[in-house]
Amino acid sequence: CAFWCPHCQAQKALFGKSAKLLPYVECSLPDGQSQTAVCKEAGITTYPTWQFGESTSTRLVGEIPLAELASTTGCVLPQ
């Protein structure tokens, strides 16, 4: 994600207080114009990008509904 990205902010907001527990990786440099080396090397081109495991084939991009994230990860959403 990038600190300036409204889609990243909206995605984190879905998690409420639990957002702090997400394995968040900041891809933007402080100038908001450049990308960190780790994100360049990973081929991140869209924010937010969710990657599950090491393979890029296990990526979801954009704002993803919590139900889809839960299904992808095998997590159970609270009722």
Coordinates of all heavy atoms in Angstrom, one line a residue:
C1 N 0.8 -1.2 0.0 CA 0.0 0.0 0.0 C 0.9 1.2 0.0 O 2.1 1.2 0.2 CB -0.9 0.0 1.2 SG -2.5 -0.6 0.9
A2 N 0.2 2.3 -0.1 CA 0.9 3.6 -0.1 C 0.1 4.6 0.8 O -1.1 4.6 0.8 CB 1.0 4.2 -1.5
F3 N 0.8 5.3 1.6 CA 0.2 6.2 2.6 C -0.8 7.1 2.0 O -1.8 7.6 2.6 CB 1.2 6.9 3.5 CG 2.0 7.9 2.7 CD1 1.6 9.2 2.6 CD2 3.3 7.6 2.1 CE1 2.3 10.2 1.9 CE2 4.0 8.5 1.4 CZ 3.5 9.8 1.3
W4 N -0.6 7.5 0.8 CA -1.4 8.5 0.1 C -2.6 7.9 -0.6 O -3.4 8.7 -1.2 CB -0.5 9.3 -0.9 CG 0.3 8.5 -1.8 CD1 1.6 8.2 -1.6 CD2 -0.2 7.8 -2.9 NE1 2.0 7.3 -2.6 CE2 0.9 7.1 -3.4 CE3 -1.4 7.7 -3.6 CZ2 0.9 6.3 -4.6 CZ3 -1.4 6.9 -4.7 CH2 -0.3 6.2 -5.2
C5 N -2.7 6.6 -0.7 CA -3.7 5.9 -1.5 C -5.0 5.9 -0.8 O -5.2 5.2 0.2 CB -3.2 4.5 -1.9 SG -4.4 3.5 -2.7
P6 N -6.1 6.5 -1.4 CA -7.4 6.4 -0.7 C -8.0 5.0 -0.7 O -8.7 4.7 0.2 CB -8.3 7.3 -1.6 CG -7.6 7.5 -2.9 CD -6.1 7.3 -2.6
H7 N -7.6 4.2 -1.7 CA -8.1 2.8 -1.7 C -7.5 2.0 -0.5 O -8.1 1.1 0.1 CB -7.8 2.1 -3.0 CG -8.5 2.8 -4.1 ND1 -9.8 2.8 -4.3 CD2 -8.0 3.6 -5.1 CE1 -10.2 3.5 -5.4 NE2 -9.0 4.0 -5.9
C8 N -6.2 2.2 -0.2 CA -5.5 1.6 0.9 C -6.1 2.0 2.2 O -6.4 1.2 3.1 CB -4.0 1.9 0.9 SG -3.1 1.2 -0.5
Q9 N -6.4 3.3 2.3 CA -7.1 3.8 3.5 C -8.4 3.2 3.7 O -8.8 2.8 4.9 CB -7.2 5.3 3.5 CG -5.8 6.0 3.4 CD -4.8 5.6 4.5 OE1 -5.2 5.5 5.6 NE2 -3.6 5.4 4.1
A10 N -9.2 3.1 2.7 CA -10.6 2.5 2.8 C -10.5 1.0 3.1 O -11.2 0.5 3.9 CB -11.3 2.6 1.4
Q11 N -9.5 0.3 2.5 CA -9.3 -1.1 2.8 C -8.9 -1.3 4.3 O -9.5 -2.1 5.0 CB -8.2 -1.7 2.0 CG -8.1 -3.2 2.1 CD -9.1 -4.0 1.4 OE1 -9.1 -4.2 0.2 NE2 -10.1 -4.5 2.1
K12 N -8.0 -0.5 4.8 CA -7.6 -0.6 6.2 C -8.8 -0.3 7.1 O -9.0 -0.9 8.2 CB -6.4 0.3 6.5 CG -5.1 -0.2 6.0 CD -3.9 0.5 6.5 CE -3.8 1.9 5.9 NZ -2.5 2.6 6.3
A13 N -9.6 0.7 6.7 CA -10.8 1.0 7.6 C -11.8 -0.1 7.8 O -12.4 -0.2 8.8 CB -11.5 2.2 6.9
L14 N -11.8 -1.0 6.8 CA -12.7 -2.2 6.9 C -12.3 -3.1 8.1 O -13.2 -3.7 8.7 CB -12.7 -3.0 5.7 CG -13.3 -2.5 4.4 CD1 -13.1 -3.4 3.2 CD2 -14.8 -2.2 4.6
F15 N -11.0 -3.0 8.5 CA -10.5 -3.8 9.6 C -10.7 -3.2 10.9 O -10.4 -3.8 11.9 CB -9.1 -4.2 9.3 CG -8.9 -5.2 8.2 CD1 -8.8 -4.9 6.9 CD2 -8.8 -6.6 8.6 CE1 -8.6 -5.8 5.9 CE2 -8.7 -7.5 7.6 CZ -8.6 -7.2 6.3
G16 N -11.1 -1.9 10.9 CA -11.2 -1.2 12.2 C -9.9 -1.2 13.0 O -8.8 -1.0 12.5
K17 N -10.1 -1.4 14.3 CA -8.9 -1.5 15.2 C -7.9 -2.6 14.9 O -6.8 -2.5 15.2 CB -9.4 -1.6 16.7 CG -10.1 -0.4 17.2 CD -10.6 -0.7 18.6 CE -11.4 0.5 19.1 NZ -11.9 0.3 20.5
S18 N -8.4 -3.6 14.2 CA -7.5 -4.7 13.9 C -6.6 -4.4 12.7 O -5.7 -5.2 12.4 CB -8.4 -5.9 13.5 OG -9.1 -6.4 14.6
A19 N -6.7 -3.3 12.1 CA -5.9 -2.9 10.9 C -4.4 -2.9 11.4 O -3.5 -3.2 10.6 CB -6.3 -1.6 10.4
K20 N -4.1 -2.6 12.6 CA -2.8 -2.5 13.1 C -2.1 -3.9 13.1 O -0.9 -4.1 13.2 CB -2.7 -1.9 14.5 CG -3.4 -2.7 15.6 CD -3.3 -2.1 16.9 CE -4.0 -2.9 18.0 NZ -5.2 -2.4 18.4
L21 N -2.9 -5.0 13.0 CA -2.4 -6.4 13.0 C -2.1 -6.9 11.6 O -1.5 -7.9 11.4 CB -3.4 -7.3 13.7 CG -3.8 -6.9 15.1 CD1 -4.9 -7.8 15.6 CD2 -2.6 -7.0 16.0
L22 N -2.5 -6.1 10.6 CA -2.2 -6.5 9.2 C -0.7 -6.5 8.9 O 0.0 -5.7 9.4 CB -2.9 -5.6 8.2 CG -4.5 -5.6 8.2 CD1 -5.0 -4.5 7.4 CD2 -5.0 -6.9 7.8
P23 N -0.3 -7.4 8.0 CA 1.1 -7.4 7.6 C 1.4 -6.3 6.5 O 1.6 -6.6 5.4 CB 1.3 -8.8 7.0 CG 0.0 -9.2 6.5 CD -1.0 -8.5 7.5
Y24 N 1.2 -5.1 6.9 CA 1.3 -3.9 6.0 C 2.7 -3.7 5.6 O 3.6 -3.7 6.4 CB 0.7 -2.7 6.8 CG 0.8 -1.4 6.0 CD1 -0.3 -1.1 5.2 CD2 1.8 -0.5 6.1 CE1 -0.3 0.1 4.4 CE2 1.8 0.6 5.3 CZ 0.8 0.9 4.5 OH 0.8 2.1 3.8
V25 N 2.9 -3.4 4.3 CA 4.2 -3.0 3.7 C 3.9 -1.7 3.0 O 3.1 -1.6 2.1 CB 4.7 -4.1 2.7 CG1 6.0 -3.6 2.0 CG2 4.9 -5.4 3.4
E26 N 4.6 -0.7 3.4 CA 4.5 0.6 2.8 C 5.4 0.6 1.5 O 6.6 0.3 1.5 CB 5.0 1.7 3.7 CG 5.0 3.1 3.1 CD 3.6 3.6 2.7 OE1 2.7 3.5 3.5 OE2 3.5 4.0 1.5
C27 N 4.7 0.9 0.4 CA 5.4 0.9 -0.9 C 5.9 2.3 -1.4 O 6.7 2.4 -2.3 CB 4.5 0.3 -2.0 SG 4.4 -1.5 -1.9
S28 N 5.4 3.3 -0.8 CA 5.7 4.7 -1.2 C 6.8 5.3 -0.4 O 6.9 5.1 0.8 CB 4.5 5.6 -1.1 OG 4.8 6.9 -1.5
L29 N 7.7 5.9 -1.1 CA 8.7 6.7 -0.4 C 8.1 8.0 0.1 O 7.0 8.4 -0.3 CB 9.9 7.0 -1.3 CG 10.7 5.8 -1.8 CD1 11.8 6.2 -2.8 CD2 11.3 5.1 -0.6
P30 N 8.7 8.7 1.1 CA 8.0 9.8 1.7 C 7.6 10.9 0.7 O 6.7 11.7 1.0 CB 9.1 10.4 2.7 CG 9.9 9.2 3.0 CD 9.9 8.3 1.8
D31 N 8.3 11.0 -0.4 CA 7.9 12.0 -1.4 C 6.6 11.7 -2.1 O 6.0 12.6 -2.8 CB 9.0 12.3 -2.4 CG 9.2 11.1 -3.4 OD1 8.5 10.1 -3.3 OD2 10.2 11.1 -4.1
G32 N 6.1 10.5 -1.9 CA 4.8 10.1 -2.6 C 4.9 10.0 -4.1 O 3.9 9.7 -4.7
Q33 N 6.1 10.1 -4.6 CA 6.3 10.0 -6.1 C 7.1 8.7 -6.5 O 7.1 8.4 -7.7 CB 7.0 11.2 -6.6 CG 6.3 12.5 -6.3 CD 5.0 12.6 -7.0 OE1 4.9 12.3 -8.2 NE2 4.0 13.0 -6.2
S34 N 7.7 8.1 -5.5 CA 8.6 7.0 -5.8 C 8.2 5.8 -5.0 O 7.5 5.9 -4.0 CB 10.1 7.3 -5.5 OG 10.4 8.5 -6.2
Q35 N 8.7 4.6 -5.4 CA 8.3 3.3 -4.8 C 9.5 2.7 -4.1 O 10.7 2.8 -4.6 CB 7.7 2.4 -5.8 CG 7.0 1.2 -5.3 CD 6.4 0.4 -6.4 OE1 7.1 0.1 -7.4 NE2 5.2 -0.1 -6.2
T36 N 9.3 2.1 -3.0 CA 10.4 1.4 -2.3 C 11.0 0.3 -3.1 O 10.3 -0.3 -4.0 CB 9.9 0.8 -0.9 OG1 8.9 -0.2 -1.2 CG2 9.4 1.9 0.0
A37 N 12.2 -0.1 -2.9 CA 12.9 -1.2 -3.6 C 12.1 -2.5 -3.5 O 12.0 -3.2 -4.4 CB 14.3 -1.3 -3.2
V38 N 11.7 -2.8 -2.3 CA 11.0 -4.1 -2.0 C 9.8 -4.2 -2.9 O 9.5 -5.3 -3.4 CB 10.7 -4.3 -0.5 CG1 9.7 -3.4 0.0 CG2 10.3 -5.7 -0.2
C39 N 9.0 -3.1 -3.0 CA 7.8 -3.2 -3.8 C 8.1 -3.2 -5.3 O 7.4 -3.9 -6.1 CB 6.9 -2.0 -3.5 SG 6.2 -2.2 -1.8
K40 N 9.2 -2.5 -5.7 CA 9.6 -2.6 -7.1 C 10.0 -4.0 -7.5 O 9.6 -4.5 -8.5 CB 10.8 -1.6 -7.4 CG 10.4 -0.2 -7.5 CD 11.7 0.6 -7.8 CE 11.4 2.1 -7.8 NZ 12.6 2.9 -8.0
E41 N 10.8 -4.6 -6.6 CA 11.3 -5.9 -6.9 C 10.2 -7.0 -6.9 O 10.2 -7.9 -7.6 CB 12.3 -6.3 -5.8 CG 13.6 -5.6 -5.9 CD 14.5 -5.7 -4.7 OE1 14.3 -6.6 -3.9 OE2 15.5 -5.0 -4.7
A42 N 9.1 -6.7 -6.1 CA 8.0 -7.6 -6.1 C 7.0 -7.4 -7.2 O 6.1 -8.1 -7.4 CB 7.2 -7.4 -4.7
G43 N 7.2 -6.3 -8.0 CA 6.4 -6.0 -9.1 C 5.0 -5.5 -8.8 O 4.0 -5.6 -9.5
I44 N 4.9 -4.8 -7.6 CA 3.7 -4.2 -7.2 C 3.4 -2.9 -8.1 O 4.2 -2.0 -8.2 CB 3.7 -3.7 -5.7 CG1 4.1 -4.9 -4.8 CG2 2.4 -3.0 -5.3 CD1 3.1 -6.0 -4.8
T45 N 2.3 -2.9 -8.7 CA 1.9 -1.8 -9.6 C 0.6 -1.2 -9.3 O 0.2 -0.2 -9.8 CB 1.9 -2.3 -11.1 OG1 0.9 -3.3 -11.3 CG2 3.3 -2.7 -11.6
T46 N -0.2 -1.8 -8.4 CA -1.5 -1.4 -8.1 C -1.7 -1.4 -6.5 O -1.2 -2.4 -5.9 CB -2.6 -2.3 -8.7 OG1 -2.4 -2.4 -10.1 CG2 -4.0 -1.8 -8.4
Y47 N -2.4 -0.5 -6.0 CA -2.6 -0.4 -4.6 C -4.1 -0.5 -4.3 O -4.9 0.2 -5.0 CB -2.1 0.9 -4.0 CG -0.6 1.2 -4.2 CD1 -0.2 2.3 -4.9 CD2 0.3 0.2 -3.9 CE1 1.1 2.6 -5.1 CE2 1.7 0.5 -4.2 CZ 2.1 1.7 -4.8 OH 3.4 1.9 -5.0
P48 N -4.5 -1.1 -3.2 CA -3.7 -2.1 -2.5 C -3.5 -3.4 -3.2 O -4.2 -3.7 -4.1 CB -4.5 -2.3 -1.2 CG -5.9 -2.0 -1.6 CD -5.9 -1.0 -2.7
T49 N -2.4 -4.1 -2.9 CA -2.1 -5.4 -3.4 C -2.0 -6.3 -2.2 O -1.2 -6.1 -1.3 CB -0.8 -5.4 -4.2 OG1 -0.9 -4.6 -5.3 CG2 -0.4 -6.8 -4.6
W50 N -2.8 -7.4 -2.3 CA -2.7 -8.4 -1.2 C -2.0 -9.6 -1.8 O -2.3 -10.1 -2.9 CB -4.1 -8.9 -0.9 CG -4.9 -7.8 -0.2 CD1 -5.7 -6.9 -0.7 CD2 -5.0 -7.6 1.2 NE1 -6.3 -6.1 0.2 CE2 -5.9 -6.5 1.4 CE3 -4.5 -8.3 2.3 CZ2 -6.2 -6.1 2.7 CZ3 -4.8 -7.8 3.6 CH2 -5.6 -6.7 3.8
Q51 N -0.9 -10.0 -1.1 CA -0.2 -11.2 -1.6 C -0.2 -12.3 -0.5 O 0.1 -12.0 0.7 CB 1.3 -10.9 -2.0 CG 2.0 -12.1 -2.5 CD 3.3 -11.7 -3.2 OE1 3.3 -10.7 -3.9 NE2 4.3 -12.6 -3.1
F52 N -0.5 -13.5 -0.9 CA -0.6 -14.6 0.1 C 0.4 -15.6 -0.3 O 0.4 -16.3 -1.3 CB -2.0 -15.2 0.0 CG -3.1 -14.2 0.1 CD1 -3.7 -13.6 -1.0 CD2 -3.5 -13.7 1.4 CE1 -4.7 -12.7 -0.9 CE2 -4.5 -12.8 1.5 CZ -5.1 -12.2 0.4
G53 N 1.5 -15.7 0.5 CA 2.6 -16.6 0.3 C 3.6 -15.9 -0.7 O 3.5 -14.7 -0.9
E54 N 4.5 -16.7 -1.2 CA 5.6 -16.1 -2.0 C 5.3 -15.9 -3.4 O 5.8 -15.1 -4.1 CB 6.8 -17.0 -1.9 CG 7.4 -17.2 -0.5 CD 7.9 -15.8 0.1 OE1 8.6 -15.1 -0.7 OE2 7.6 -15.5 1.2
S55 N 4.3 -16.6 -3.9 CA 4.0 -16.6 -5.4 C 3.1 -15.4 -5.7 O 2.2 -15.1 -5.1 CB 3.2 -17.9 -5.7 OG 2.7 -17.8 -7.1
T56 N 3.5 -14.8 -6.9 CA 2.7 -13.6 -7.3 C 1.3 -14.1 -7.9 O 0.5 -13.3 -8.1 CB 3.4 -12.8 -8.4 OG1 3.7 -13.7 -9.5 CG2 4.7 -12.2 -7.9
S57 N 1.2 -15.4 -8.1 CA -0.1 -15.9 -8.5 C -1.2 -15.9 -7.4 O -2.3 -16.1 -7.7 CB 0.0 -17.3 -9.1 OG 0.3 -18.2 -8.1
T58 N -0.7 -15.7 -6.2 CA -1.7 -15.6 -5.1 C -1.9 -14.1 -4.7 O -1.9 -13.8 -3.5 CB -1.1 -16.4 -3.9 OG1 0.2 -15.9 -3.5 CG2 -1.1 -17.9 -4.2
R59 N -2.0 -13.3 -5.6 CA -2.3 -11.8 -5.4 C -3.7 -11.5 -5.7 O -4.3 -12.0 -6.7 CB -1.4 -11.0 -6.3 CG 0.0 -10.8 -5.8 CD 0.8 -9.8 -6.6 NE 2.1 -9.7 -6.1 CZ 3.1 -9.1 -6.8 NH1 2.9 -8.6 -7.9 NH2 4.3 -9.1 -6.3
L60 N -4.2 -10.5 -4.9 CA -5.5 -9.8 -5.2 C -5.1 -8.4 -5.2 O -4.3 -7.9 -4.4 CB -6.5 -10.1 -4.1 CG -7.0 -11.6 -4.0 CD1 -7.9 -11.7 -2.8 CD2 -7.7 -12.1 -5.2
V61 N -5.7 -7.6 -6.1 CA -5.4 -6.2 -6.2 C -6.7 -5.4 -6.1 O -7.8 -5.8 -6.5 CB -4.7 -5.8 -7.5 CG1 -3.3 -6.4 -7.5 CG2 -5.4 -6.2 -8.7
G62 N -6.6 -4.2 -5.5 CA -7.7 -3.3 -5.3 C -8.4 -3.5 -4.0 O -7.9 -4.3 -3.2
E63 N -9.5 -2.8 -3.7 CA -10.2 -3.0 -2.5 C -11.0 -4.3 -2.5 O -11.8 -4.5 -3.4 CB -11.2 -1.8 -2.3 CG -10.5 -0.5 -2.0 CD -11.5 0.6 -1.8 OE1 -12.4 0.5 -1.1 OE2 -11.3 1.7 -2.5
I64 N -10.6 -5.2 -1.6 CA -11.2 -6.5 -1.6 C -12.2 -6.6 -0.4 O -11.8 -6.3 0.7 CB -10.1 -7.6 -1.4 CG1 -9.0 -7.4 -2.5 CG2 -10.7 -9.0 -1.5 CD1 -9.5 -7.5 -3.9
P65 N -13.4 -7.1 -0.6 CA -14.3 -7.3 0.5 C -13.8 -8.2 1.5 O -13.1 -9.2 1.2 CB -15.6 -7.8 -0.2 CG -15.5 -7.5 -1.6 CD -14.0 -7.5 -1.9
L66 N -14.1 -8.0 2.8 CA -13.6 -8.8 3.9 C -14.0 -10.3 3.6 O -13.2 -11.2 3.9 CB -14.2 -8.4 5.2 CG -13.6 -7.0 5.7 CD1 -14.2 -6.7 7.1 CD2 -12.1 -7.1 5.8
A67 N -15.2 -10.6 3.1 CA -15.6 -11.9 2.9 C -14.7 -12.6 1.9 O -14.4 -13.8 2.1 CB -17.1 -12.0 2.4
E68 N -14.3 -11.9 0.9 CA -13.4 -12.5 -0.1 C -12.0 -12.8 0.5 O -11.4 -13.8 0.3 CB -13.2 -11.7 -1.4 CG -12.4 -12.3 -2.5 CD -12.4 -11.5 -3.7 OE1 -13.1 -10.5 -3.9 OE2 -11.5 -11.9 -4.6
L69 N -11.5 -11.8 1.3 CA -10.2 -12.0 2.0 C -10.3 -13.2 2.9 O -9.4 -14.0 3.0 CB -9.8 -10.8 2.7 CG -9.4 -9.6 1.9 CD1 -9.2 -8.3 2.8 CD2 -8.1 -9.9 1.1
A70 N -11.4 -13.3 3.6 CA -11.6 -14.4 4.6 C -11.6 -15.8 3.8 O -11.0 -16.7 4.2 CB -12.9 -14.3 5.4
S71 N -12.3 -15.8 2.7 CA -12.4 -17.0 1.9 C -11.0 -17.4 1.4 O -10.6 -18.6 1.4 CB -13.4 -16.8 0.8 OG -13.4 -17.9 -0.1
T72 N -10.3 -16.4 0.9 CA -8.9 -16.7 0.3 C -8.0 -17.2 1.4 O -7.1 -18.0 1.1 CB -8.4 -15.4 -0.3 OG1 -9.3 -15.0 -1.3 CG2 -7.0 -15.6 -0.9
T73 N -8.1 -16.7 2.6 CA -7.1 -17.0 3.6 C -7.6 -18.2 4.5 O -6.8 -18.7 5.3 CB -6.8 -15.8 4.5 OG1 -8.0 -15.4 5.2 CG2 -6.2 -14.7 3.7
G74 N -8.9 -18.5 4.5 CA -9.4 -19.6 5.3 C -9.8 -19.0 6.7 O -10.0 -19.8 7.6
C75 N -9.8 -17.7 6.9 CA -10.1 -17.1 8.2 C -11.7 -17.1 8.3 O -12.4 -17.0 7.3 CB -9.6 -15.7 8.3 SG -7.8 -15.6 8.4
V76 N -12.1 -17.1 9.5 CA -13.6 -17.1 9.7 C -13.9 -15.7 10.2 O -13.3 -15.2 11.2 CB -14.0 -18.1 10.8 CG1 -15.5 -18.0 11.1 CG2 -13.7 -19.5 10.3
L77 N -14.9 -15.0 9.6 CA -15.3 -13.7 10.0 C -16.2 -13.8 11.2 O -17.0 -14.8 11.3 CB -16.1 -13.0 8.9 CG -15.3 -12.5 7.7 CD1 -16.2 -11.9 6.6 CD2 -14.2 -11.5 8.1
P78 N -16.1 -12.9 12.2 CA -17.0 -12.9 13.3 C -18.4 -12.7 12.9 O -18.7 -12.0 11.9 CB -16.5 -11.8 14.2 CG -15.6 -11.0 13.4 CD -15.2 -11.8 12.2
Q79 N -19.3 -13.3 13.6 CA -20.8 -13.2 13.3 C -21.3 -12.0 13.9 O -21.0 -11.5 14.8 CB -21.5 -14.4 13.7 CG -21.1 -15.7 13.0 CD -21.3 -15.7 11.5 OE1 -22.3 -15.1 11.1 NE2 -20.4 -16.3 10.8

